Amino acid sequence: MALLPLLLSFLFGVLHTASAQCPDYDAFSKERHEPFSAGKYQLSYQRPTAACRKFNSSDVEGTIQDMKKVVKDPDLYRLFENAFPNTLDTTVTWKGYAADDSAEELTFVTTGDIVAMWLRDSANQMRSYKALLKADDSPDSLASLFRGVINLQARYILRNPYCNAFQAPTESGLPPQDNGYADTDKVTPPYNTSFVFECKYELDSISAFLQLSYDYYSKTKDADFFGKFQWINAVQTILNVTQGLLIGTYADDGSVNESPYTFQRDSTSATETLTNSGAGNPVKGGTGLVRSAFRPSDDSTIYQLFIPANMQFSSYLGKCAKIMEAHDGDLARRMSDFASSVRKGIEAHGKVQHPVLGKIYAYEVDGFGSSNLMDDANVPSLLSAPILDYLDASDETYQNTRKFVLSTWNPYYMHGPVLNGTGGPHVGPGKAWPMSIITSLLTSDDDGEIVAGLQMLVSSTDGLGLIHESVDTFNASEWTREWFSWANGLFGEMLLDLRDRKPHLLATSFQ
C-alpha cells in the first residue's frame, strides 16, 4: 500500500507533463468553440478535451448527463454543462500526498486565472460538489478531493492564519507565483512569499475552512478523518486568532491596544490598504464580534466588525463543535460557547432600523454606533445568510434585509437592460456580479424571481457560456474575469438545488 501514494503522485506528474500540450485555459475561455448550443444564444462549448481535464469524477459526469433530461432549454443546459465541472476540469492543479506522511492527502485548487489557492474560493469550489459527496476511501473520489483540500488548508492556517491565499505545496514541484500587487505590502505578522501568495486577513477565509470541514462531515459522517492529521491543531489556531481579535482599539484606560494584525500597501485604491498605520478604523471592544480587516472581495472593510463573516464564523464554528466532540470534549465546548457568543453579538450589534424597510442587518459596524448599510456580491454576504446556515430565509429581519440588498437602497445594487444584481467596490459601479444573482436564486422561493434570474444569467455570458466575475449592466460584452471557477461552480450548485426544490422551472424555455 505504501506504493500507492507514490504511484498517484507519479500519475499526476504525467498529467502535468501532458498538460503542457493542452491549450492555456485562460486563453481558451476567451474564445468561442463549437459545437454551439442549439438555442438563440449559441453558447460556446468550454470544456477542455477529456485528456486535458485536471480531474475526472464519474459522479459529476453522470450528473451532467442526467441534467440534460431535466434542463429543457439548450442554452441553460450548455451553461450548466460548462460551469458545473469547471473546477474539476481546470483548477485541480495538483493532487498528491504530504512528504512527511504518505497517508495525508493534499489537493491544490487554484481560483482559475490566478495560480494560487484562496481559502475561501477553494472551499466554495468544493461546495459545488457537496450534493454528490459521499463516504469513499478511493483516491479518485470527490471525498478524496475534499480531504486533500481540508488537509492543505490546515497546513496553511497553522503557519499563516492571517493570510488568505497561498502558493502550491512544495510536494507539487510547482514554483511559487509572483504577486506583483503585494510587492509593497507591509504586514504583521510577517510571512514568506514562497509559502503565501497574499496576506489579507479576512475572517471569512478561516471561516471557509470550518464550512468546508462541516460540508465534508455532513455528507460522509467521517469523524475519524479529523483526528488523523492537523485539523484539530488548525481549529485551535483559529480560536486563538479570532479570540485575539475580539479586542477593541482602545483599552479601558484609554490607551491604544496593539493590533494583532496590520496591513499597508502602496496603492491608489483605498480598498487595497488599511488606515491608521495598517490597523484600520477604530472598533469598540466588548461586542462579542470578531474583527475582519478585509472582505471576501479582498477589499478592506470600512468598519471591521463585518457582519456576514461573523454569521459564517458563528454558524460553522458551532457545527464543527459536533465533529470535535469525538476528539476533544473541552475544545468542542469552547467552540460551541464561542459560536453562541458571536451570534449574540450579531443580534445585539449587527441590526439597524431602516427608515423604510424596518429592522435589517448592517453590512459592517464599529461598535460605537456607526454602520455601513450595503451588500457586496461576494459570499459571505448579507444576501447569503441562509446558505451560510445562519438563519432561515423566512426570518423577518432577513427578509427586510433581502429587500434592501435587492433594491436601489443598496449603494452597490446595479441595474440596467442586461442584468440586475449587486456588485461592489472591487470592480466599481455599473458592474453587476452574476454571483449575486445566483445567490438570490438560492435564497428565493418565488418562481417569477427565479425564472427572471435564470434569464439574466443565460443571456449575459457574451456567447462564451461561462459565468464571469462581473458584467456591465448595459453591455454584456463588457465583463471581468473570463475564468472564475467559484462563480461557475455556484451556478452548477444552484441548478442542482432547483432540480431538487423546483424541477418544473428547469423546463422553462429562454428562447
Side-chain angles (χ1 to χ4, degrees), residues 62-178:
T63 299
I64 293 170
Q65 292 304 310
D66 290 345
M67 287 292 279
K68 194 168 188 177
K69 305 166 190 172
V70 179
V71 182
K72 302 301 183 183
D73 184 86
D75 294 323
L76 184 64
Y77 176 73
R78 172 55 57 81
L79 190 51
F80 176 80
E81 182 182 23
N82 289 338
F84 182 54
N86 190 253
T87 286
L88 302 190
D89 283 355
T90 68
T91 68
V92 181
T93 305
W94 178 81
K95 186 177 185 297
Y97 292 82
D100 59 355
D101 190 336
S102 61
E104 184 180 358
E105 297 162 294
L106 300 175
T107 309
F108 180 65
V109 178
T110 62
T111 186
D113 52 1
I114 305 171
V115 187
M117 182 163 157
W118 264 253
L119 298 180
R120 171 189 55 255
D121 287 48
S122 57
N124 284 295
Q125 286 166 261
M126 288 294 98
R127 175 169 263 205
S128 307
Y129 307 111
K130 180 183 175 183
L132 309 183
L133 180 61
K134 57 183 181 292
D136 195 332
D137 291 334
S138 168
D140 297 324
S141 64
L142 288 174
S144 177
L145 279 186
F146 271 76
R147 290 190 295 268
V149 175
I150 291 168
N151 287 334
L152 187 53
Q153 286 199 2
R155 175 190 290 189
Y156 291 148
I157 289 168
L158 280 169
R159 184 164 163 183
N160 291 101
Y162 294 94
C163 299
N164 60 318
F166 296 85
Q167 305 283 4
T170 55
E171 291 93 337
S172 70
L174 297 171
Q177 300 293 304
D178 177 58

Side-chain angles (χ1 to χ4, degrees), residues 68-354:
K68 194 168 188 177
K69 305 166 190 172
V70 179
V71 182
K72 302 301 183 183
D73 184 86
D75 294 323
L76 184 64
Y77 176 73
R78 172 55 57 81
L79 190 51
F80 176 80
E81 182 182 23
N82 289 338
F84 182 54
N86 190 253
T87 286
L88 302 190
D89 283 355
T90 68
T91 68
V92 181
T93 305
W94 178 81
K95 186 177 185 297
Y97 292 82
D100 59 355
D101 190 336
S102 61
E104 184 180 358
E105 297 162 294
L106 300 175
T107 309
F108 180 65
V109 178
T110 62
T111 186
D113 52 1
I114 305 171
V115 187
M117 182 163 157
W118 264 253
L119 298 180
R120 171 189 55 255
D121 287 48
S122 57
N124 284 295
Q125 286 166 261
M126 288 294 98
R127 175 169 263 205
S128 307
Y129 307 111
K130 180 183 175 183
L132 309 183
L133 180 61
K134 57 183 181 292
D136 195 332
D137 291 334
S138 168
D140 297 324
S141 64
L142 288 174
S144 177
L145 279 186
F146 271 76
R147 290 190 295 268
V149 175
I150 291 168
N151 287 334
L152 187 53
Q153 286 199 2
R155 175 190 290 189
Y156 291 148
I157 289 168
L158 280 169
R159 184 164 163 183
N160 291 101
Y162 294 94
C163 299
N164 60 318
F166 296 85
Q167 305 283 4
T170 55
E171 291 93 337
S172 70
L174 297 171
Q177 300 293 304
D178 177 58
N179 181 4
Y181 292 107
D183 286 348
T184 63
D185 291 359
K186 297 176 183 176
V187 181
T188 54
Y191 63 91
N192 191 317
T193 56
S194 66
F195 187 78
V196 171
F197 183 79
E198 184 174 66
C199 198
K200 290 179 172 178
Y201 163 66
E202 301 159 347
L203 177 59
D204 71 274
S205 288
I206 48 181
S207 301
F209 171 73
L210 300 173
Q211 172 190 301
L212 175 66
S213 300
Y214 189 73
D215 282 351
Y216 175 79
Y217 172 76
S218 68
K219 299 294 287 189
T220 67
K221 304 306 178 188
D222 181 11
D224 289 346
F225 159 71
F226 294 95
K228 292 179 179 178
F229 306 110
Q230 295 297 319
W231 186 79
I232 294 173
N233 290 335
V235 172
Q236 289 176 319
T237 298
I238 288 171
L239 289 174
N240 293 338
V241 166
T242 50
Q243 289 181 324
L245 286 160
L246 293 172
I247 65 167
T249 302
Y250 306 107
D252 290 343
D253 65 0
S255 61
V256 178
N257 289 319
E258 182 178 356
S259 177
Y261 169 87
T262 63
F263 180 100
Q264 291 177 286
R265 171 178 291 179
D266 291 344
S267 175
T268 57
S269 174
T271 61
E272 285 296 312
T273 191
L274 297 176
T275 60
N276 293 318
S277 301
N281 287 320
V283 295
K284 188 174 180 62
T287 63
L289 296 171
V290 181
R291 292 162 62 175
S292 185
F294 290 87
R295 303 168 178 168
S297 60
D298 296 334
D299 299 312
S300 57
T301 51
I302 294 174
Y303 303 126
Q304 292 189 23
L305 304 180
F306 175 47
I307 298 303
N310 274 272
M311 288 177 167
Q312 182 187 26
F313 180 68
S314 173
S315 174
Y316 292 110
L317 182 66
K319 291 179 181 354
C320 283
K322 299 173 185 176
I323 303 173
M324 192 63 76
E325 286 173 359
H327 305 287
D328 187 327
D330 290 339
L331 188 54
R333 283 187 289 276
R334 181 182 169 195
M335 294 165 67
S336 182
D337 290 347
F338 192 12
S340 297
S341 176
V342 173
R343 176 177 282 273
K344 288 178 182 176
I346 294 168
E347 298 304 310
H349 301 280
K351 293 179 178 180
V352 298
Q353 188 71 26
H354 190 275

Side-chain angles (χ1 to χ4, degrees), residues 386 392-394 398-399 402 406 438-451 497-498 500-505:
D392 189 87
S394 63
Y398 173 73
Q399 282 297 318
R402 195 176 194 279
L406 299 177
I438 297 168
T439 303
S440 73
L441 305 192
L442 282 165
T443 58
S444 177
D445 194 47
D446 185 298
D447 286 10
E449 179 183 11
I450 293 169
V451 169
D497 174 68
L498 291 179
D500 297 337
R501 284 196 302 132
K502 293 179 174 288
H504 61 284
L505 296 184

